[in-house]
Amino acid sequence: MLAEHIRLKENKERKKHWKKWGPYLTERQWGTVREDYSPDGAAWENVTHDEAKSKAYRWGEEGIAGISDHKQKLCIAWAFWNGQDPIIKERLFGLTGNEGNHGEDVKEVYYYLDSTPTHSYMKMLYKYPQSKFPYEELVKENKRRGRSEPEYELVDTGIFDEDRYFDIFIEYAKHDVEDIIAIATIHNRGPKEAKIWVMPTLWFRKTWFTGHEPFMPKISLVKSNKVKAFNPKSGNYMFTFDGEPDIRFCNNETNREKLYQIPNDKNYPKDSINDFVVNGDDSGLNPSFFGTKAAAIYQITIPAGESRQVKMRMQHQAEEEPLRNCDKCFNNRKKEADEFYEDLQRSIKDSEMKQIQRQAYAGMMWSKQFYYYDVERWLEGDPGRYQPPIERKKGRNRHWKHLQNYDIISMPDKWEYPWYAAWDLAFHCIPIARIDPEFAKEQLLLLLNEWYMHPNGQIPAYEWNFSDVNPPVHAYAVQRVYQIDKKANGGKGDQEFLERALHKLMLNFTWWVNQKDSEGNNIFEGGFLGLDNISLFDRSHAQYYQGKLEQADATSWMAMFSLNMLRISLDLCEFNKVYQFTATKFLEHFLFIAGAMNNISSEHISLWDDEDNFFYDVFHVKGKESKKMKVRSIVGLIPLFAVEPIREDLFNELPDFKERLDFFLREKPKLAALVSSWIQPGYDKRRLFSLLRGHRMKSVLQKMLDSDEFLSEYGIRSLSKFHEKNPYTMQIAGDVLSIKYTPGEADTQMFGGNSNWRGPIWFPINFLIIESLKKFDYYYGGDFSIEYPTGSGNFLTMDIIAKALSYRCIKIFLKNEKGERPVYGKDKKFQEDPHFKDYILFYEYFHGDSGKGLGASHQTGWTGLVAEMIHNFYKEKENQENASLTLFRS
């Protein structure tokens, strides 16, 4: 067994808590809902980037390449200064949602390069300019630009020209659970020698004002290069720094005098180290050399083209020479990390794909975050402290007072989205299950706990509005992770995990039925559903137009949810046959939904349009004729996701389920006819439940695989290219609303304008399309071919098409024949510079025509699905002829 597998096993069995320390600091705590104590809910403005250096946070901590323990009592991160900036660089800079011309956006260049699941070895890269950081220029230029213009990025300022910057590689290696070595390697990429201040920093999260911490923690000087961090609950931690740094101390306390012009209630506030380094002002530093925050300050001059290192080590009990064997530990952990990924990637032949996959896994591991949010305490305020404005009790998240989050959670992006999002997290767990199935299962169960899930059964969406509705993909992720874990364990499934999840998911399913099917007709509304600007108007507020929206995607998601629950129930029948009755319930729900999509409220209105052969939303205005909103978007592709093939021998093992199914299909033949090919067995006598029959499936696929519609060179677009020349316009309640194909960033303000579903490529949707095609192929067994691309005259089986679509998505990150990666568009620095071109950024979404990365630049969360695509591409290609690969690349 490999060393990392042993650590994972020891952690699972609670023999050694290898995951106690990890990259659990966020990259942005300022501007979050948790830290917002304003009366109007203006979170972006309540604590700004400029104020962050002086503000002690209530709910969490931020830092560059930061780590902490799993309860975030003690934090470690890195700060830098180039001798030019007005502040030290101890947090990543970016624009707020109201400053950016396309919403919030981090304006830094950094990469997650490596991490094992236990964080026994981690590596990231931060690029720090040697010239004055252009804070003001970035704000002003992005404010000047409109929606139709691209974002103004750090590289656009010219600050990396002539390579006048530092490459700072930060690495961690665990000698033991709480014996951690950290090394920063600083490269001067510029043409001249340059000076940099490097500051490994440690501090305690401010917990002592809550009433739960009777004793103050303390960091104090032991020797010229050694400090002790003491917390009554966790004891002593000894930190040893190499060389002779200037170690300075202050407290993790707000500088109230600077921020609010009122006297400080505590000495030596949080920003004192900044003031000392930048201004030479030591008045805020504790002359007795102790506090709750400390930094070891190194001034280093690095010749052009050379590098220097800074090392430190954390231990409970310091050895005589703690730094003596650091290199040996690092080399061992690097070697073990290589062995771990070599074992995982043994079937992958392409070295570039291996690199992309490993960096994707690194991003997902680095995107873990300690997330703390007690809504009732947040609304009411802490005892003995300033009380929040009374308006908050009628504001955001007031219906979620039960919610108490205090966990390590997988984040979408720790700067742009430093809070969990329900459907993002579901997708994160699928690739994570390949390297750490226990963590993936824990994450899925976490959101189903009663201190997360609402008593009515709703899963919390995200902190800006927990009551928003995300697509119900949690059951899909549960079933998919269960399958991955079962296969990895030699066919033994985790019954307890699946049962726990099913029981809570049944509550969530009931919530959907009760809350989002307002008329009880099995047609669902849903609203926003995570697709921001996919429609003519904000779907969460259809009532603004005195109407009600019957959503093809919401209804299809629920059909998929029903089939996911059916499959989970059937999987549990392996352990207990009683679950066949649960399977029956969800099968019947699926059939009723299928029927309703063809005859809404018995009004003979269908979500399917026979003229266009596509699914559309239907808008009802009271007293007027209902109208289809003929927008060709992924809303009409989502019915593909409701598909589940089942082996016939399974029915022989479940006689009660088979009897009820036969009765239901016999008594309700119209519903039976809607279910794709149920009566007609497929390959190897397999049966199929699907929303799409032969004609409809072919019609939807014909549009989806048409390069003039949905098929891009880099995957499936979110809106048909048809609308580029044919915008769809509709008049509602006196307003003329229009939607057109917009392959890049959003040109509307809807949902802040920071994401766009009107043309770009999104990985979660592409992943589900690929998975659905493979399920159809499993049923047909290679006997069913579709023209791909539409109009080409080439007919391929659906598993081959699935592989081809996977490759289109993967090649966003691969070098093309010009040696360029589509993800970086026309940016020469990222495409050609040897210190940029081989590091990968996993963006939120991608240009519908060029594949250029857009939106959040570190959304490894669901774009990390590329790791699973690469795994499946090679796993499934093993039995294919070599000609298939030629086809994918053509």
Side-chain angles (χ1 to χ4, degrees), residues 44 56 69 113 200 220 222 299 398 411 427 449 528 532 539-540 554 568 578 640 702 706 719 736-737 774 833 851 878:
W44 282 115
D69 61 277
L113 299 181
S220 56
V222 176
Q299 294 185 44
R398 66 187 181 278
M411 297 291 146
F427 286 113
N449 283 322
F528 158 63
D532 290 28
R539 299 193 299 173
S540 295
I568 290 173
V578 74
L640 283 169
Q702 186 177 36
D706 187 339
L719 187 80
V736 177
L737 306 176
K774 289 192 287 189
D833 192 298
E878 285 176 346

Side-chain angles (χ1 to χ4, degrees), residues 3 23 73 306 326 375 403 451 465 471 639 645 681 692 714 734 754 776 790 856:
K73 300 294 187 183
E306 295 189 18
C326 284
V375 171
L403 189 135
W451 51 93
N465 184 0
L692 299 182
Y714 303 102
N754 65 335
F776 278 116
T790 300

Side-chain angles (χ1 to χ4, degrees), residues 210-357:
T210 64
H212 298 306
E213 300 284 348
F215 300 104
M216 281 282 289
K218 181 180 179 181
I219 305 171
S220 56
L221 189 67
V222 176
K223 286 183 180 179
S224 61
N225 70 335
K226 189 171 293 186
V227 301
K228 176 174 70 175
F230 172 75
N231 182 307
K233 290 186 177 180
S234 51
N236 290 324
Y237 290 97
M238 305 299 293
F239 289 83
T240 306
F241 305 92
D242 66 338
E244 295 292 330
D246 183 6
I247 304 179
R248 297 295 179 136
F249 297 80
C250 62
N251 288 315
N252 187 13
E253 299 284 356
T254 297
N255 190 334
R256 304 200 305 177
E257 186 175 318
K258 186 178 290 184
L259 293 180
Y260 313 121
Q261 293 75 54
I262 59 176
N264 286 326
D265 60 344
K266 299 286 174 60
N267 294 326
Y268 319 121
K270 174 183 175 179
D271 53 12
S272 299
I273 291 171
N274 174 87
D275 294 349
F276 171 66
V277 172
V278 176
N279 304 318
D281 179 7
D282 64 359
S283 62
L285 299 175
N286 189 339
S288 299
F289 296 97
F290 71 85
T292 51
K293 179 180 178 180
I297 304 168
Y298 293 83
Q299 294 185 44
I300 306 172
T301 299
I302 308 177
E306 295 189 18
S307 65
R308 296 290 184 269
Q309 285 190 333
V310 171
K311 300 178 183 179
M312 70 173 176
R313 185 172 185 175
M314 180 195 84
Q315 299 171 291
H316 266 306
Q317 278 299 130
E319 299 172 2
E320 185 130 351
E321 295 181 64
L323 299 173
R324 183 179 57 183
N325 295 318
C326 284
D327 291 343
K328 181 180 178 182
C329 177
F330 258 90
N331 291 336
N332 286 338
R333 293 299 173 263
K334 285 181 186 176
K335 179 174 175 287
E336 290 162 3
D338 290 341
E339 290 170 348
F340 176 79
Y341 282 109
E342 283 168 10
D343 179 66
L344 181 76
Q345 298 176 323
R346 58 188 178 275
S347 66
I348 301 174
K349 309 305 179 188
D350 188 300
S351 60
E352 200 177 356
M353 284 206 194
K354 286 184 178 181
Q355 173 202 355
I356 293 165
Q357 188 190 55

Side-chain angles (χ1 to χ4, degrees), residues 27 110-115 123-124 341 355-368 410-417 423-432 435 762-764 813 823-824 839-846 854-870:
E27 280 153 6
Y110 58 103
Y111 307 87
Y112 307 119
L113 299 181
D114 211 354
S115 180
K123 183 178 183 180
M124 76 166 286
Y341 282 109
Q355 173 202 355
I356 293 165
Q357 188 190 55
R358 186 160 173 176
Q359 285 190 35
Y361 284 132
M364 286 182 278
M365 293 296 97
W366 271 94
S367 295
K368 295 178 184 179
S410 179
M411 297 291 146
D413 178 316
K414 289 206 295 188
W415 195 95
E416 297 210 19
Y417 303 110
W423 78 310
D424 297 58
L425 184 141
F427 286 113
H428 303 179
C429 291
I430 295 168
I432 287 174
I435 60 172
W762 292 78
F763 264 72
F813 305 102
V823 64
Y824 291 134
Y839 301 127
I840 309 298
L841 291 174
F842 298 90
Y843 286 84
E844 184 180 4
Y845 55 98
F846 302 86
L854 301 168
S857 54
H858 294 77
Q859 185 116 352
T860 323
W862 63 19
T863 301
L865 285 165
V866 70
E868 183 67 5
M869 289 180 180
I870 290 171

